[in-house]
Short mmCIF file of all heavy atoms in Angstrom, two decimals:
data_model
loop_
_atom_site.label_atom_id
_atom_site.label_comp_id
_atom_site.label_asym_id
_atom_site.label_seq_id
_atom_site.Cartn_x
_atom_site.Cartn_y
_atom_site.Cartn_z
N ASP A 1 -10.58 -5.24 -138.40
CA ASP A 1 -10.42 -5.39 -139.91
C ASP A 1 -9.06 -5.13 -140.33
O ASP A 1 -8.47 -5.85 -141.17
CB ASP A 1 -11.47 -4.56 -140.66
CG ASP A 1 -12.83 -5.08 -140.68
OD1 ASP A 1 -13.09 -6.19 -140.12
OD2 ASP A 1 -13.76 -4.41 -141.15
N ARG A 2 -8.47 -4.03 -139.79
CA ARG A 2 -7.10 -3.66 -140.17
C ARG A 2 -6.14 -4.71 -139.72
O ARG A 2 -5.14 -5.08 -140.47
CB ARG A 2 -6.76 -2.27 -139.64
CG ARG A 2 -5.38 -1.79 -140.06
CD ARG A 2 -5.31 -1.68 -141.54
NE ARG A 2 -3.91 -1.28 -142.00
CZ ARG A 2 -3.41 -1.46 -143.24
NH1 ARG A 2 -4.18 -2.04 -144.13
NH2 ARG A 2 -2.20 -1.07 -143.55
N VAL A 3 -6.25 -5.21 -138.45
CA VAL A 3 -5.36 -6.29 -137.98
C VAL A 3 -5.43 -7.47 -138.87
O VAL A 3 -4.42 -8.09 -139.17
CB VAL A 3 -5.73 -6.62 -136.55
CG1 VAL A 3 -4.86 -7.77 -136.00
CG2 VAL A 3 -5.47 -5.38 -135.61
N ALA A 4 -6.63 -7.84 -139.32
CA ALA A 4 -6.84 -9.04 -140.10
C ALA A 4 -6.07 -8.83 -141.47
O ALA A 4 -5.47 -9.80 -141.96
CB ALA A 4 -8.23 -9.31 -140.35
N VAL A 5 -6.09 -7.65 -142.06
CA VAL A 5 -5.46 -7.38 -143.33
C VAL A 5 -3.96 -7.57 -143.20
O VAL A 5 -3.18 -8.21 -143.94
CB VAL A 5 -5.85 -6.02 -143.87
CG1 VAL A 5 -4.92 -5.67 -145.05
CG2 VAL A 5 -7.31 -6.02 -144.31
N LEU A 6 -3.45 -6.93 -142.13
CA LEU A 6 -1.99 -6.92 -141.82
C LEU A 6 -1.48 -8.34 -141.46
O LEU A 6 -0.35 -8.66 -141.80
CB LEU A 6 -1.63 -5.95 -140.69
CG LEU A 6 -1.84 -4.46 -141.10
CD1 LEU A 6 -1.51 -3.63 -139.86
CD2 LEU A 6 -0.84 -4.11 -142.18
N ALA A 7 -2.36 -9.22 -140.89
CA ALA A 7 -1.95 -10.50 -140.52
C ALA A 7 -1.60 -11.34 -141.72
O ALA A 7 -0.91 -12.39 -141.64
CB ALA A 7 -3.00 -11.20 -139.72
N MET A 8 -2.08 -10.93 -142.96
CA MET A 8 -1.71 -11.73 -144.20
C MET A 8 -0.95 -10.82 -145.18
O MET A 8 -0.91 -11.18 -146.33
CB MET A 8 -3.02 -12.25 -144.82
CG MET A 8 -3.64 -13.38 -144.09
SD MET A 8 -2.51 -14.76 -143.81
CE MET A 8 -2.24 -15.29 -145.53
N GLN A 9 -0.31 -9.83 -144.70
CA GLN A 9 0.53 -8.93 -145.50
C GLN A 9 1.99 -9.30 -145.23
O GLN A 9 2.51 -9.04 -144.13
CB GLN A 9 0.20 -7.44 -145.21
CG GLN A 9 0.99 -6.49 -146.11
CD GLN A 9 0.54 -5.00 -145.88
OE1 GLN A 9 -0.66 -4.74 -146.05
NE2 GLN A 9 1.47 -4.22 -145.46
N PRO A 10 2.68 -9.88 -146.13
CA PRO A 10 4.05 -10.34 -145.87
C PRO A 10 4.99 -9.15 -145.52
O PRO A 10 4.82 -8.00 -146.02
CB PRO A 10 4.43 -10.97 -147.13
CG PRO A 10 3.23 -11.30 -147.88
CD PRO A 10 2.26 -10.24 -147.52
N LEU A 11 5.93 -9.46 -144.59
CA LEU A 11 7.03 -8.52 -144.31
C LEU A 11 8.04 -8.52 -145.38
O LEU A 11 8.14 -9.43 -146.19
CB LEU A 11 7.66 -8.95 -142.93
CG LEU A 11 6.73 -8.88 -141.73
CD1 LEU A 11 7.33 -9.59 -140.55
CD2 LEU A 11 6.43 -7.43 -141.35
N ASP A 12 8.74 -7.42 -145.57
CA ASP A 12 9.72 -7.25 -146.62
C ASP A 12 10.96 -8.04 -146.23
O ASP A 12 11.70 -7.81 -145.29
CB ASP A 12 10.13 -5.76 -146.68
CG ASP A 12 11.10 -5.53 -147.85
OD1 ASP A 12 11.57 -6.47 -148.48
OD2 ASP A 12 11.38 -4.29 -148.13
N PRO A 13 11.27 -9.15 -147.11
CA PRO A 13 12.44 -10.01 -146.74
C PRO A 13 13.75 -9.35 -146.97
O PRO A 13 14.75 -9.80 -146.57
CB PRO A 13 12.25 -11.19 -147.70
CG PRO A 13 11.45 -10.66 -148.88
CD PRO A 13 10.54 -9.62 -148.26
N GLY A 14 13.74 -8.21 -147.66
CA GLY A 14 15.02 -7.49 -147.87
C GLY A 14 15.45 -6.62 -146.68
O GLY A 14 16.53 -6.01 -146.75
N HIS A 15 14.65 -6.59 -145.63
CA HIS A 15 14.92 -5.74 -144.43
C HIS A 15 14.55 -6.49 -143.21
O HIS A 15 13.95 -7.60 -143.31
CB HIS A 15 14.26 -4.40 -144.57
CG HIS A 15 14.65 -3.61 -145.76
ND1 HIS A 15 15.84 -2.94 -145.82
CD2 HIS A 15 14.04 -3.34 -146.97
CE1 HIS A 15 15.95 -2.30 -147.07
NE2 HIS A 15 14.89 -2.59 -147.72
N PRO A 16 14.87 -6.01 -142.02
CA PRO A 16 14.52 -6.70 -140.78
C PRO A 16 12.98 -7.01 -140.77
O PRO A 16 12.13 -6.22 -141.16
CB PRO A 16 14.85 -5.68 -139.72
CG PRO A 16 16.05 -4.95 -140.27
CD PRO A 16 15.66 -4.82 -141.72
N LEU A 17 12.69 -8.20 -140.33
CA LEU A 17 11.33 -8.75 -140.42
C LEU A 17 10.41 -8.37 -139.26
O LEU A 17 9.96 -9.15 -138.50
CB LEU A 17 11.43 -10.32 -140.54
CG LEU A 17 12.16 -10.84 -141.78
CD1 LEU A 17 12.36 -12.32 -141.67
CD2 LEU A 17 11.34 -10.45 -143.07
N TRP A 18 10.09 -7.09 -139.21
CA TRP A 18 9.17 -6.54 -138.29
C TRP A 18 8.53 -5.24 -138.76
O TRP A 18 9.12 -4.55 -139.59
CB TRP A 18 9.80 -6.38 -136.84
CG TRP A 18 10.84 -5.28 -136.86
CD1 TRP A 18 12.17 -5.35 -137.17
CD2 TRP A 18 10.69 -3.93 -136.40
NE1 TRP A 18 12.86 -4.20 -137.04
CE2 TRP A 18 11.97 -3.34 -136.57
CE3 TRP A 18 9.63 -3.13 -135.95
CZ2 TRP A 18 12.18 -1.95 -136.25
CZ3 TRP A 18 9.82 -1.85 -135.60
CH2 TRP A 18 11.09 -1.24 -135.72
N HIS A 19 7.42 -4.89 -138.22
CA HIS A 19 6.72 -3.70 -138.70
C HIS A 19 5.73 -3.27 -137.62
O HIS A 19 4.98 -4.08 -137.07
CB HIS A 19 5.96 -3.94 -140.00
CG HIS A 19 5.39 -2.66 -140.61
ND1 HIS A 19 4.08 -2.26 -140.28
CD2 HIS A 19 5.93 -1.74 -141.35
CE1 HIS A 19 3.87 -1.10 -140.95
NE2 HIS A 19 4.96 -0.77 -141.61
N PHE A 20 5.71 -1.96 -137.30
CA PHE A 20 4.75 -1.40 -136.41
C PHE A 20 3.86 -0.42 -137.17
O PHE A 20 4.46 0.45 -137.95
CB PHE A 20 5.46 -0.53 -135.21
CG PHE A 20 6.11 -1.45 -134.23
CD1 PHE A 20 6.83 -0.78 -133.22
CD2 PHE A 20 5.98 -2.82 -134.20
CE1 PHE A 20 7.49 -1.53 -132.24
CE2 PHE A 20 6.64 -3.55 -133.33
CZ PHE A 20 7.39 -3.00 -132.28
N GLU A 21 2.56 -0.48 -136.99
CA GLU A 21 1.70 0.55 -137.60
C GLU A 21 0.86 1.21 -136.51
O GLU A 21 0.23 0.55 -135.70
CB GLU A 21 0.73 -0.14 -138.58
CG GLU A 21 -0.19 0.85 -139.24
CD GLU A 21 -1.04 0.28 -140.39
OE1 GLU A 21 -0.41 -0.10 -141.44
OE2 GLU A 21 -2.27 0.16 -140.24
N LEU A 22 1.08 2.57 -136.40
CA LEU A 22 0.40 3.31 -135.39
C LEU A 22 -0.78 4.00 -135.94
O LEU A 22 -0.70 4.77 -136.91
CB LEU A 22 1.39 4.38 -134.84
CG LEU A 22 0.90 5.35 -133.74
CD1 LEU A 22 0.49 4.55 -132.49
CD2 LEU A 22 1.83 6.47 -133.44
N VAL A 23 -1.90 3.79 -135.29
CA VAL A 23 -3.20 4.57 -135.62
C VAL A 23 -3.21 5.63 -134.56
O VAL A 23 -3.54 5.35 -133.41
CB VAL A 23 -4.41 3.62 -135.54
CG1 VAL A 23 -5.66 4.49 -135.92
CG2 VAL A 23 -4.28 2.39 -136.48
N GLU A 24 -2.77 6.83 -134.94
CA GLU A 24 -2.71 7.89 -133.94
C GLU A 24 -3.92 8.27 -133.29
O GLU A 24 -3.95 8.69 -132.10
CB GLU A 24 -1.97 9.09 -134.69
CG GLU A 24 -0.55 8.79 -135.00
CD GLU A 24 0.18 10.04 -135.47
OE1 GLU A 24 0.30 11.02 -134.68
OE2 GLU A 24 0.71 10.09 -136.60
N GLN A 25 -5.05 8.24 -134.10
CA GLN A 25 -6.40 8.59 -133.46
C GLN A 25 -7.31 7.40 -133.58
O GLN A 25 -7.73 6.99 -134.63
CB GLN A 25 -6.94 9.78 -134.22
CG GLN A 25 -6.08 11.05 -134.21
CD GLN A 25 -5.91 11.53 -132.76
OE1 GLN A 25 -6.83 11.51 -131.94
NE2 GLN A 25 -4.71 12.05 -132.49
N HIS A 26 -7.57 6.79 -132.41
CA HIS A 26 -8.44 5.58 -132.35
C HIS A 26 -9.27 5.57 -131.05
O HIS A 26 -8.66 5.41 -129.95
CB HIS A 26 -7.65 4.29 -132.47
CG HIS A 26 -8.46 3.08 -132.14
ND1 HIS A 26 -9.47 2.61 -133.02
CD2 HIS A 26 -8.41 2.28 -131.07
CE1 HIS A 26 -9.97 1.53 -132.51
NE2 HIS A 26 -9.41 1.29 -131.26
N ASP A 27 -10.56 5.83 -131.11
CA ASP A 27 -11.48 5.62 -130.00
C ASP A 27 -10.95 6.41 -128.81
O ASP A 27 -10.87 5.87 -127.69
CB ASP A 27 -11.60 4.17 -129.70
CG ASP A 27 -12.85 3.91 -128.83
OD1 ASP A 27 -13.75 4.69 -128.84
OD2 ASP A 27 -12.82 2.85 -128.18
N GLY A 28 -10.60 7.70 -128.96
CA GLY A 28 -10.12 8.49 -127.88
C GLY A 28 -8.71 8.34 -127.47
O GLY A 28 -8.27 8.81 -126.44
N GLY A 29 -8.01 7.58 -128.27
CA GLY A 29 -6.55 7.32 -127.96
C GLY A 29 -5.85 6.89 -129.22
O GLY A 29 -6.06 7.45 -130.32
#
């Protein structure tokens, strides 16, 4: 669900066009 939301969330055109989101706690990792 989170990946689906981010897939349609535009990147900020005023800065480099990439973004990493870390889920620090997910299913034992």
Side-chain angles (χ1 to χ4, degrees):
D1 282 354
R2 183 59 184 161
V3 174
V5 169
L6 290 175
M8 287 305 297
Q9 183 172 300
L11 297 164
D12 183 354
H15 299 285
L17 295 172
W18 65 278
H19 187 268
F20 289 175
E21 182 170 293
L22 177 66
V23 181
E24 293 190 56
Q25 300 298 321
H26 168 71
D27 197 22

